[in-house]
Amino acid sequence: PVVDLYSQVSGFGGRGFKEKDKGEVAKYVNTPQTLLYDKSRTLYGLDKAKVEIRKKDVCIMVEGYVDAIMAFQSGTENVVATSGTALTTPQLKILKRYSNNLLTAFDMDVAGDSATKRGIELAQAQGFNIKVVVMTGGKDPADIVEENPESWHSMIEGAKSILQFYFESAFSRFSAQGGSASGGDALTPEAKREISKILLPVL
């Protein structure tokens, strides 16, 4: 069940787990848009997390229901999920009531005009302080918590500022083109040009 801020069920969601279902059904399946269930205005788990978000003055945002449930069970109770959508202005306005500090635990791509990047730009425009929880190996929070909850807690502690994340990601992405991830002079002119395309708009 997806519950609104007033603890009323507004819709339902599920996640496919079986390997044989991959490609046939979406990873997450939701109630369609209704008058009661508006995905762009819904943050899964906020009814349970809002007190802890206010107390800790930070909200940890994940993408899926199971990510939020697993993180909550590991002791991270200030966590909400966007239910697979990009961050929206209505969601951010709701969050603003509880904290100006946001940790994102999304699959982030610094290159290109990704929906995640646009959501973060919206959050920055509304005055949020944003940090990125860097997850390795393409894993999501649910996988990490299942393997080792302490790894998840360490990743939260080591969250990077958004600028630090963009810089490190851009340099490591192009270091294979003949340079070092530290951004030294060994980078090729082509790599430097591609890095500047990513970082200059951010700056």
Side-chain angles (χ1 to χ4, degrees):
V2 179
V3 178
D4 65 20
L5 277 174
Y6 310 104
S7 298
Q8 301 295 308
V9 175
S10 58
F12 293 89
R15 172 173 163 166
F17 281 102
K18 293 181 181 176
E19 286 291 323
K20 71 180 182 67
D21 291 336
K22 284 189 177 171
E24 294 175 30
V25 293
K27 185 175 182 182
Y28 287 99
V29 183
N30 306 290
T31 292
Q33 186 92 345
T34 67
L35 289 172
L36 287 177
Y37 178 64
D38 182 348
K39 208 171 177 182
S40 69
R41 296 173 181 276
T42 302
L43 287 165
Y44 178 79
L46 184 58
D47 60 305
K48 294 177 178 60
K50 60 187 178 184
V51 172
E52 199 66 17
I53 291 170
R54 196 167 263 159
K55 195 189 295 182
K56 291 189 173 167
D57 194 21
V58 62
C59 175
I60 299 165
M61 191 164 284
V62 297
E63 287 183 278
Y65 310 119
V66 179
D67 295 324
I69 291 166
M70 293 292 284
F72 197 96
Q73 287 178 349
S74 78
T76 308
E77 295 186 7
N78 53 331
V79 61
V80 300
T82 58
S83 310
T85 65
L87 266 172
T88 66
T89 300
Q91 287 171 336
L92 290 164
K93 283 182 176 172
I94 293 166
L95 268 185
K96 197 87 170 164
R97 302 176 199 168
Y98 304 101
S99 178
N100 284 325
N101 300 306
L102 197 56
L103 296 190
T104 66
F106 295 157
D107 181 15
M108 292 270 297
D109 179 17
V110 297
D113 190 25
S114 70
T116 304
K117 204 169 172 184
R118 290 197 299 275
I120 282 171
E121 285 165 4
L122 275 179
Q124 285 178 308
Q126 292 205 26
F128 280 91
N129 305 309
I130 304 165
K131 287 190 172 182
V132 178
V133 179
V134 180
M135 296 172 293
T136 54
K139 293 175 182 170
D140 58 27
D143 298 328
I144 294 161
V145 171
E146 189 174 19
E147 286 174 16
N148 184 357
E150 286 309 310
S151 294
W152 166 245
H153 298 149
S154 297
M155 287 173 185
I156 292 169
E157 289 295 318
K160 299 174 187 275
S161 74
I162 193 70
L163 274 181
Q164 185 184 5
F165 171 78
Y166 280 145
F167 267 81
E168 288 181 9
S169 299
F171 278 103
S172 65
R173 181 187 177 104
F174 292 100
S175 62
Q177 296 184 19
S180 66
S182 62
D185 289 335
L187 284 165
T188 64
E190 291 78 13
K192 288 179 181 177
R193 196 176 305 117
E194 290 305 313
I195 288 168
S196 69
K197 278 183 195 173
I198 293 168
L199 293 181
L200 288 175
V202 172
L203 293 172

